[in-house]
Amino acid sequence: MKKILLTFTLMLCLMNNTNAQSTIIGSENFSVNLPVGYQRTIGTNDFATVQWENEETSSYGFIIIENLDELKISNIADDFASYMDISVANYSSNPKFKSLNSKQFKTSKGRETLQKQISYYNEELEATIYLQINIFKTKNFIYQVVNFGSEDFLKNSKEHTDYIVNNIDLPF
């Protein structure tokens, strides 16, 4: 009886070991604090994890998260500059595309980010759209934080976009 119990226990242990060959990390906790007047919304981007808006200033934003392991599988570079190039490429085919300012810096919470501002003409809205894109990276994920609006957005919403960029809490 003891041999049967021992054999069964060993088989069970071996089955557990052979079934647990890899771990896939699906997500991680993060938060973003929004300035007064902003609230969560939907409809700004189909791939976004979270989205926000300020109806009074007609400014919007969203965060897209990508798993670094999946980028490697797809042979996509995950450094700040390469990922920014990929992010900007999504907009560069639009009419009157312009690449504006770009800078790399640490946020007030010590998080490294690459920031780029771009604009393009949206024919459907018949307006020029201005975007500020920030790239953040954690151990397992890369974050694309996009704030956008129409005319004078970059100038009039600077305080708000700076607040959002400096108040995103990501794991290190």
Side-chain angles (χ1 to χ4, degrees):
M1 181 72 164
K2 288 182 183 180
K3 286 185 180 182
I4 293 173
L5 186 58
L6 180 63
T7 304
F8 179 74
T9 304
L10 284 173
M11 284 181 15
L12 188 60
C13 288
L14 288 174
M15 285 175 39
N16 282 343
N17 285 339
T18 58
N19 290 335
Q21 294 297 317
S22 63
T23 301
I24 296 175
I25 298 171
S27 67
E28 58 190 10
N29 288 330
F30 75 93
S31 65
V32 59
N33 294 317
L34 300 173
V36 173
Y38 282 75
Q39 64 274 339
R40 191 168 192 159
T41 191
I42 58 170
T44 61
N45 185 285
D46 292 339
F47 300 105
T49 302
V50 296
Q51 304 169 59
W52 55 85
E53 71 178 344
N54 182 325
E55 290 181 356
E56 185 179 314
T57 62
S58 297
S59 55
Y60 309 88
F62 58 86
I63 297 176
I64 294 175
I65 305 170
E66 296 207 56
N67 186 301
L68 294 175
D69 289 337
E70 292 175 4
L71 292 177
K72 286 176 190 167
I73 290 169
S74 302
N75 294 318
I76 297 173
D78 63 7
D79 61 279
F80 282 124
S82 297
Y83 193 78
M84 180 64 80
D85 290 344
I86 292 167
S87 300
V88 169
N90 292 326
Y91 303 99
S92 63
S93 63
N94 288 307
K96 300 182 185 176
F97 171 82
K98 289 182 185 172
S99 179
L100 306 169
N101 300 326
S102 182
K103 65 181 179 177
Q104 190 161 348
F105 63 96
K106 287 192 177 193
T107 66
S108 61
K109 293 187 176 191
R111 175 70 64 181
E112 190 80 22
T113 185
L114 176 61
Q115 182 179 86
K116 188 168 192 77
Q117 297 174 339
I118 63 172
S119 68
Y120 69 91
Y121 185 76
N122 184 304
E123 293 174 338
E124 182 180 324
L125 299 174
E126 297 181 353
T128 300
I129 306 298
Y130 295 87
L131 296 96
Q132 177 176 290
I133 303 170
N134 284 79
I135 304 299
F136 294 91
K137 190 174 172 184
T138 65
K139 179 182 174 188
N140 298 306
F141 291 87
I142 196 159
Y143 292 75
Q144 180 185 151
V145 180
V146 179
N147 287 284
F148 67 97
S150 54
E151 190 145 1
D152 294 330
F153 164 75
L154 295 175
K155 182 175 67 173
N156 294 340
S157 296
K158 182 177 180 352
E159 183 179 333
H160 292 158
T161 56
D162 287 350
Y163 182 90
I164 292 168
V165 166
N166 282 300
N167 285 285
I168 184 166
D169 288 319
L170 304 170
F172 276 96

